[in-house]
Amino acid sequence: MLEIVRNDRWLKPYEKILRARRDYALSREREICGRGGRLSRFAVGHLYYGLHKTESGWVFREWAPNAVEIFLIGDFSDWQERDEYRLNRLNDYGDWEVMVPLEYIRHGQHYKMRVKWNGGQGDRIPAWCRRVVQDNVTHIFSAQVWNPEVKYVFRNDSFFPADAPLMIYECHIGMSQEKEDVGTYVEFTRNVLPRIKKNGYNCIQIMAVQEHPYYGSFGYHVSNFFAPSSRFGTPEELMELIDTAHGMGIAVIMDIVHSHAVKNENEGLGNLSGDPCQYFNQGVRREHSAWDSLCFDYGKDAVLHFLLSNCKYWLTEFHFDGFRFDGVTSMIYYSHGLGESFCNYDDYFNGHQDGDAICYLTLANKLIHQVNPKAITIAEEVSGMPGLAAPVKSGGMGFDYRMAMNIPDYWIKTIKERRDEDWNVSEIYWELTNRRSDERTVSYVESHDQALVGDKTVIFRLVDADMYWHFKKGSENLVTARGIALHKMIRMVTASAINGGYLNFMGNEFGHPEWIDFPREGNGWSYKYARRQWSLVDDHSLLYHFLGDFDRDMVRLISSRSDFHRWSINKWCSNEGDQVLAFTRGDLLFVYNFNPSRSFCDYGLYVPKGKYRIEIDSDNPCYGGNGLVDDTQEHFTLKDDANASEELEWLRLYLPARTAFVLRRYD
């Protein structure tokens, strides 16, 4: 019996399907690697294809099976077809190659391929190129020869949080600065990394790394999978960012997009050599109806080679510590998950799943952990597919974590649709802890998704327009007081219930106002909402720093506890009438009074006996609270003569309305 079936007997009727998925992935691995071969030796396409400088000259290779003629064109050829840059077809598979003397091509020059096929031709950016730039005048994208004389030398080893819970700071390089412009790798390294370190996060998740022609796509319409976006700087500057983070004890994972590709033909893979389906599905499955993009054909060996090599490339060349895979639901269902309810297990095993996509994800996880056994892989998946974050050998797909995407949806729904008096603490606890016991998750209140234009961040839903008028000290009102109190509580209760990791999008920790809206025609190509206003949290005459300081201390407390995410959660109180929730993890007691109007004196909690001291009090004035509790006071449990428990006693606390406490127990 597969281990995931032993862990969940409801999967028993589907064990044959789970075995078939695993066996198919293993058989495909043997097909592409040969018996005894390793995926890490197969996934080296980036070392063969593309433009490479050798001792004897430049060599350029491309896979273009439908082409009849290819020229390398660029600054070096005055963008004309010349015989010395004509590629030769090497085999029936579709590989093309040209050897060029060293002096013919120089670092920094621009180039493309001119590809001809029966019935047409086009100038294309090579699929495996490592740098793409956009002309400031014509706005045309071209590949760029990138071979600087001085190679970047990494100073620090890759960093992994080891036994600490994964505390992720999700970030976007371009919008990470306060200026109304595009931020750079250098500015992020200098200005933002120290903030992240100070705030206690041990991992950053970088969005929009792979080159994308439209900035407003947030990096999700990728055109050039091996090219770090040049709008943020050079590859070496990205390397330095990652290296510097490692030196600070911060892991760096990449938001990788293998779920689809941009439709553009001139910049991307849409029609590289006259075959629109060279990399993509045939017929109606070629295009993603909701995303206006192209869907990979994961059943093709060449596509597996391309995407697996892409994973290895970012790990080895840039020292990324792993990946958050975007759009996994879209990959593993023929419907892309659109219009599906996913109400029962039949919905995961009814034949509507793309076995080749599931196979690819399984092989990708195997490869990544072959290249780096400590690598981190996270699946963004909304359907709840069982086994996603379970080991391959046990019948899973091999991810280390899955995103707990139910949690932000729950918080938004609760804030929008329920009065504070109707918030149900038992339901909150259920939503935060309802997960598969054998799969780790990344919990979060809100990511970038909840901040995009057309939606609202949590703080904006709580406070709305009062943020503009009542977020200065001395101008507070009941709306801002409520919003600040609940913002802290929502984050604390979510982070304290993790079983793997916690994620926050940059700026949300201090209640960054308004939404995210990238430059587009509809807003006059403005950068006003595509930036982070760090001056708000730095200005202590405003209320933002209270939220930032609370988040810092919360993250530091949780990340300082080795194996915190593995500690069992013991619930001691879930009083729906009072709206009080309390549970312990190790030596920490978490107490939440969500009641909007009632404070409780000597509230009794039957908990492990001992002496308790307050570690964090959300009502402390240092976090913008009222200071109704003396946080220096020690709290002792008292015996209950009516109960004979040797381990449990009564702890009596004063619980102000809308307040969260973390207490540490001392024997």
Side-chain angles (χ1 to χ4, degrees):
M1 182 182 290
L2 291 173
E3 185 178 347
I4 62 172
V5 177
R6 281 199 301 270
N7 294 335
D8 181 358
R9 292 306 178 96
W10 291 98
L11 287 173
K12 181 60 179 174
Y14 313 102
E15 184 170 12
K16 287 185 178 180
I17 298 175
L18 289 165
R19 285 188 181 276
R21 290 179 180 178
R22 184 191 63 179
D23 293 346
Y24 179 59
L26 297 177
S27 69
R28 290 291 283 134
E29 182 180 5
R30 288 192 295 271
E31 287 175 13
I32 60 180
C33 299
R35 289 195 174 274
R38 288 174 60 83
L39 286 166
S40 60
R41 287 198 287 269
F42 168 76
V44 291
H46 54 290
L47 302 179
Y48 179 78
Y49 295 109
L51 182 65
H52 299 277
K53 187 177 183 180
T54 69
E55 292 184 359
S56 58
W58 295 90
V59 59
F60 175 78
R61 301 186 188 94
E62 186 70 35
W63 176 62
N66 199 54
V68 296
E69 192 172 32
I70 303 178
F71 288 89
L72 203 60
I73 60 172
D75 297 337
F76 41 77
S77 69
D78 294 325
W79 298 96
Q80 302 300 312
E81 300 172 13
R82 294 186 177 174
D83 285 342
E84 57 266 40
Y85 300 106
R86 183 196 301 269
L87 276 69
N88 299 308
R89 184 161 185 147
L90 298 178
N91 48 47
D92 293 337
Y93 178 66
D95 288 336
W96 295 75
E97 178 187 81
V98 64
M99 301 289 293
V100 180
L102 284 173
E103 63 272 17
Y104 281 29
I105 297 177
R106 298 190 310 277
H107 168 70
Q109 291 183 314
H110 300 155
Y111 70 99
K112 292 185 179 182
M113 302 184 299
R114 179 159 295 160
V115 186
K116 301 182 180 182
W117 55 86
N118 290 326
Q121 69 175 43
D123 292 351
R124 300 289 186 259
I125 294 177
W128 300 78
C129 68
R130 300 190 178 196
R131 182 163 170 82
V132 173
V133 295
Q134 185 178 24
D135 186 273
N136 291 329
V137 177
T138 65
H139 304 299
I140 293 174
F141 287 87
S142 301
Q144 186 176 33
V145 180
W146 200 254
N147 191 61
E149 290 185 11
V150 179
K151 309 296 183 184
Y152 187 83
V153 178
F154 285 87
R155 305 180 303 276
N156 301 294
D157 294 332
S158 294
F159 173 82
F160 302 93
D163 293 331
L166 199 61
M167 307 301 284
I168 304 172
Y169 201 80
E170 185 186 34
C171 46
H172 183 285
I173 302 299
M175 61 173 292
S176 64
Q177 305 304 309
E178 186 144 2
K179 62 182 181 179
E180 293 188 28
D181 201 349
V182 179
T184 67
Y185 299 125
V186 171
E187 289 171 327
F188 187 91
T189 303
R190 181 189 307 125
N191 302 328
V192 183
L193 274 180
R195 290 182 180 272
I196 297 170
K197 173 65 176 177
K198 180 181 178 181
N199 290 341
Y201 289 87
N202 57 24
C203 180
I204 58 174
Q205 177 180 300
I206 307 180
M207 305 173 60
V209 173
Q210 296 164 294
E211 191 61 83
H212 45 290
Y214 178 45
Y215 186 49
S217 75
F218 226 142
Y220 289 118
H221 275 192
V222 174
S223 53
N224 314 106
F225 287 78
F226 290 84
S229 182
S230 62
R231 57 171 56 86
F232 308 136
T234 68
E236 288 71 29
E237 289 165 348
L238 174 57
M239 293 175 185
E240 185 173 18
L241 185 162
I242 296 168
D243 196 19
T244 303
H246 289 160
M248 293 179 171
I250 299 172
V252 185
I253 59 177
M254 173 179 165
D255 194 351
I256 199 167
V257 182
H258 283 179
S259 48
H260 61 137
V262 73
K263 292 170 69 173
N264 300 34
E265 295 184 359
N266 293 331
E267 293 87 11
L269 305 174
N271 188 17
L272 198 69
S273 61
D275 177 8
C277 298
Q278 180 175 333
Y279 284 93
F280 307 106
N281 284 316
Q282 300 279 343
V284 295
R285 293 191 60 217
R286 180 174 181 267
E287 294 191 18
H288 194 299
S289 59
W291 293 351
D292 193 33
S293 55
L294 303 179
C295 302
F296 286 106
D297 183 348
Y298 303 102
K300 288 184 177 179
D301 289 359
V303 172
L304 289 180
H305 192 220
F306 182 79
L307 296 178
L308 291 173
S309 297
N310 193 238
C311 292
K312 184 172 181 179
Y313 166 76
W314 293 109
L315 290 171
T316 55
E317 298 290 327
F318 288 85
H319 292 202
F320 276 100
D321 299 302
F323 306 100
R324 180 263 205 181
F325 278 75
D326 171 69
V328 171
T329 305
S330 176
M331 297 171 70
I332 62 180
Y333 296 99
Y334 292 130
S335 66
H336 306 302
L338 302 174
E340 301 272 4
S341 59
F342 303 111
C343 293
N344 57 66
Y345 278 18
D346 282 343
D347 295 333
Y348 305 123
F349 306 102
N350 58 10
H352 297 171
Q353 295 73 39
D354 187 338
D356 286 317
I358 292 172
C359 172
Y360 164 66
L361 292 170
T362 304
L363 296 180
N365 277 294
K366 286 196 68 175
L367 163 73
I368 291 164
H369 293 100
Q370 278 182 12
V371 174
N372 192 332
K374 296 181 179 179
I376 302 161
T377 59
I378 304 171
E380 187 226 20
E381 205 282 312
V382 71
S383 78
M385 171 69 76
L388 193 71
V392 174
K393 64 180 180 181
S394 71
M397 295 186 207
F399 284 98
D400 297 304
Y401 303 86
R402 63 189 307 155
M403 301 291 290
M405 300 185 72
N406 64 298
I407 296 176
D409 290 345
Y410 173 76
W411 284 125
I412 292 297
K413 183 178 177 65
T414 299
I415 294 169
K416 285 175 60 176
E417 300 178 5
R418 290 189 177 179
R419 301 182 311 151
D420 293 3
E421 292 83 355
D422 297 330
W423 286 27
N424 187 308
V425 292
S426 295
E427 188 179 88
I428 290 172
Y429 182 80
W430 168 256
E431 287 289 343
L432 297 179
T433 59
N434 177 24
R435 54 212 174 202
R436 303 184 65 81
S437 62
D438 55 351
E439 298 188 44
R440 291 185 292 177
T441 59
V442 174
S443 301
Y444 59 109
V445 175
E446 52 186 343
S447 67
H448 67 277
D449 285 328
Q450 284 71 41
L452 290 172
V453 67
D455 207 339
K456 292 183 179 180
T457 60
V458 166
I459 192 65
F460 219 59
R461 288 197 180 279
L462 291 169
V463 181
D464 216 305
D466 286 72
M467 290 194 72
Y468 299 121
W469 312 108
H470 298 285
F471 245 61
K472 187 175 181 64
K473 290 179 180 178
S475 67
E476 304 95 323
N477 62 11
L478 293 177
V479 175
T480 56
R482 168 186 176 266
I484 288 173
L486 287 177
H487 193 272
K488 292 180 289 187
M489 293 187 72
I490 289 170
R491 274 168 163 68
M492 175 64 87
V493 74
T494 303
S496 61
I498 62 173
N499 78 327
Y502 174 78
L503 178 141
N504 167 71
F505 181 69
M506 65 177 187
N508 284 358
E509 73 278 6
F510 66 82
H512 196 284
E514 302 172 325
W515 50 85
I516 297 170
D517 189 14
F518 281 88
R520 55 187 174 86
E521 187 175 3
N523 65 15
W525 303 104
S526 170
Y527 288 88
K528 181 178 180 180
Y529 300 108
R531 61 193 180 112
R532 296 285 91 175
Q533 299 180 62
W534 303 108
S535 60
L536 296 176
V537 70
D538 292 341
D539 185 349
H540 281 217
S541 71
L542 303 177
L543 305 180
Y544 297 96
H545 84 89
F546 289 136
L547 300 179
D549 292 346
F550 179 82
D551 188 83
R552 177 199 63 216
D553 291 347
M554 176 191 79
V555 170
R556 284 180 174 179
L557 176 69
I558 292 173
S559 59
S560 68
R561 294 300 200 272
S562 178
D563 286 329
F564 175 89
H565 52 299
R566 297 189 181 97
W567 291 351
S568 61
I569 303 177
N570 297 299
K571 183 173 65 172
W572 303 108
C573 178
S574 182
N575 190 314
E576 296 169 15
D578 293 341
Q579 294 179 284
V580 173
L581 173 67
F583 54 82
T584 52
R585 303 194 76 167
D587 62 346
L588 298 179
L589 169 64
F590 297 89
V591 185
Y592 303 91
N593 178 14
F594 279 96
N595 201 299
S597 57
R598 293 180 61 197
S599 299
F600 300 100
C601 291
D602 294 329
Y603 199 89
L605 300 171
Y606 202 47
V607 296
K609 67 179 182 180
K611 178 174 63 176
Y612 288 81
R613 292 176 183 166
I614 293 176
E615 296 277 320
I616 295 180
D617 167 11
S618 69
D619 192 51
N620 191 298
C622 71
Y623 306 131
N626 297 308
L628 299 178
V629 172
D630 180 2
D631 291 347
T632 65
Q633 183 178 357
E634 293 183 338
H635 301 269
F636 297 86
T637 58
L638 302 172
K639 287 184 179 181
D640 183 355
D641 294 334
N643 294 293
S645 174
E646 295 291 331
E647 293 82 23
L648 304 179
E649 293 183 346
W650 284 102
L651 180 68
R652 299 197 175 276
L653 300 172
Y654 174 51
L655 304 181
R658 290 199 186 111
T659 299
F661 292 100
V662 186
L663 299 97
R664 183 180 176 188
R665 179 172 59 87
Y666 297 83
D667 293 329

